[in-house]
Amino acid sequence: MDGYAIDESLVRSLLRDQHPDLATLPIREVPGGWDNQLWRLGNELAVRMPRTQRAPSLLRKEQQWLPLLAPRLPLPVPCPMRVGEPSERFPFPWTVVAWVPGEPSDHAPIDRSTHAAERLAGFLRALHQPAPADAPANAPRGAQLIAVDGEFEKLFRAVVPTGHATAEVRASWENSVAAPTWDGPAVWLHADLHPANAVVADGTLAGVIDFGDLCAGDPATDLSAAWLLLPSAGLPAVLDAYDPADPAMIRRARGWALLRSLALIDIGRAGDRGLPGGKPTWGPAGRAALARVLAST
């Protein structure tokens, strides 16, 4: 956040003030993150510190909802363990979460595709339960694809001329937008299942992190992870294991995957635009996902 240098000294002082039993544990910064800066705390915990204007509200959302959802999820997630409240030292909320072992999949790609497909499908089935009326809103994630057509056009103009066949990309998008819309109940969504938020260990999916975009809506939003995370060989397995992945849902999910692959490519080349952390690994992940989308259209 502007005006606040988030360093080990600040993190330790906040722990000493609010959670003194944790203040003597080893602390080290973990590279990466977007809205939040991550600090490893001992062997089993991490501290998430907000560094963008929207981050405090995202942390509050996780603090409220993730403890209710985590017990039913079959993969490790960074469940909030302690809450850090605003103070004179740092006037924003922060949180202590469970550490999820492994590496983000933009650094350690999945190579056990069938195993990872089964894990991803199981995670999505467990998460995608009808959400309550007071579930957080996060438009346009979870909404109809037409709601993000303007975003697609912007990314299409910025990214596609760099080498991908424009006609193929356009046709794939139009096919997805034309798919029948979701007419079931709004279900819980992670809503940001891209490679940096999927944790890999031993070549397979081992955890899911960063639930700040948690919301309710069309499950196809999250099913897009099949193209974003898995090698091509894993795509049929996850679509078979996720039920119901009907043809309309698959078309919509492929559209979300197309949009996000373009966004990954765009962010991966945007290191000079002041985006937090720098994301050189996102471009290759986005290009690989885009190739998988076009091959399956």
Side-chain angles (χ1 to χ4, degrees):
M1 296 296 234
D2 291 343
Y4 291 88
I6 302 175
D7 55 19
E8 180 181 341
S9 176
L10 174 63
V11 175
R12 194 174 296 281
S13 67
L14 291 173
L15 290 168
R16 190 178 298 116
D17 289 346
Q18 299 189 33
H19 301 286
D21 59 313
L22 304 179
T24 60
L25 292 173
I27 298 173
R28 63 179 177 85
E29 185 177 1
V30 178
W34 186 271
D35 291 291
N36 297 283
Q37 194 173 15
L38 190 64
W39 294 79
R40 185 81 181 266
L41 181 63
N43 293 324
E44 299 180 355
L45 300 171
V47 180
R48 300 187 76 204
M49 299 288 294
R51 65 179 176 188
T52 67
Q53 292 300 314
R54 73 176 196 143
S57 64
L58 302 184
L59 283 179
R60 289 298 194 198
K61 186 196 302 187
E62 290 183 333
Q63 291 166 356
Q64 177 181 359
W65 293 105
L66 196 49
L68 302 177
L69 297 174
R72 75 177 188 221
L73 300 178
L75 290 174
V77 299
C79 191
M81 310 299 288
R82 305 281 185 93
V83 172
E85 296 294 350
S87 65
E88 290 185 2
R89 291 185 189 274
F90 190 70
F92 310 102
W94 47 281
T95 190
V96 178
V97 301
W99 174 253
V100 179
E103 295 289 334
S105 72
D106 57 321
H107 289 270
I110 290 167
D111 54 32
R112 295 169 60 194
S113 57
T114 301
H115 188 272
E118 293 171 352
R119 285 194 167 185
L120 176 60
F123 174 84
L124 294 178
R125 288 197 308 268
L127 176 62
H128 289 172
Q129 302 300 315
D134 61 343
N138 187 13
R141 301 188 188 217
Q144 297 181 36
L145 272 173
I146 194 64
V148 292
D149 190 62
E151 182 180 353
F152 168 79
E153 292 295 340
K154 180 180 178 180
L155 289 168
F156 181 84
R157 291 191 299 270
V159 172
V160 175
T162 61
H164 288 285
T166 58
E168 288 183 76
V169 174
R170 172 72 66 187
S172 180
W173 177 252
E174 291 178 352
N175 177 271
S176 294
V177 170
T181 58
W182 173 245
D183 59 2
V187 301
W188 280 112
L189 303 174
H190 180 282
D192 201 24
L193 268 174
H194 62 71
N197 290 337
V199 176
V200 175
D202 298 323
T204 191
L205 184 63
V208 175
I209 60 175
D210 195 349
F211 284 73
D213 281 305
L214 186 74
C215 63
D218 178 1
T221 309
D222 281 352
L223 191 57
S224 63
W227 288 265
L228 295 170
L229 304 180
L230 300 176
S232 296
L235 181 61
V238 73
L239 296 179
D240 287 344
Y242 182 86
D243 184 25
D246 59 55
M249 183 182 293
I250 292 171
R251 286 169 63 187
R252 297 193 306 274
R254 190 167 54 220
W256 282 107
L258 174 59
L259 181 74
R260 287 174 175 163
S261 66
L262 297 182
L264 288 167
I265 296 168
D266 188 47
I267 292 168
R269 65 189 185 89
D272 60 346
R273 285 196 255 157
L275 297 174
K279 308 298 177 187
T281 58
W282 289 26
R287 287 188 288 275
L290 180 56
R292 292 190 289 268
V293 169
L294 297 179
S296 69
T297 300

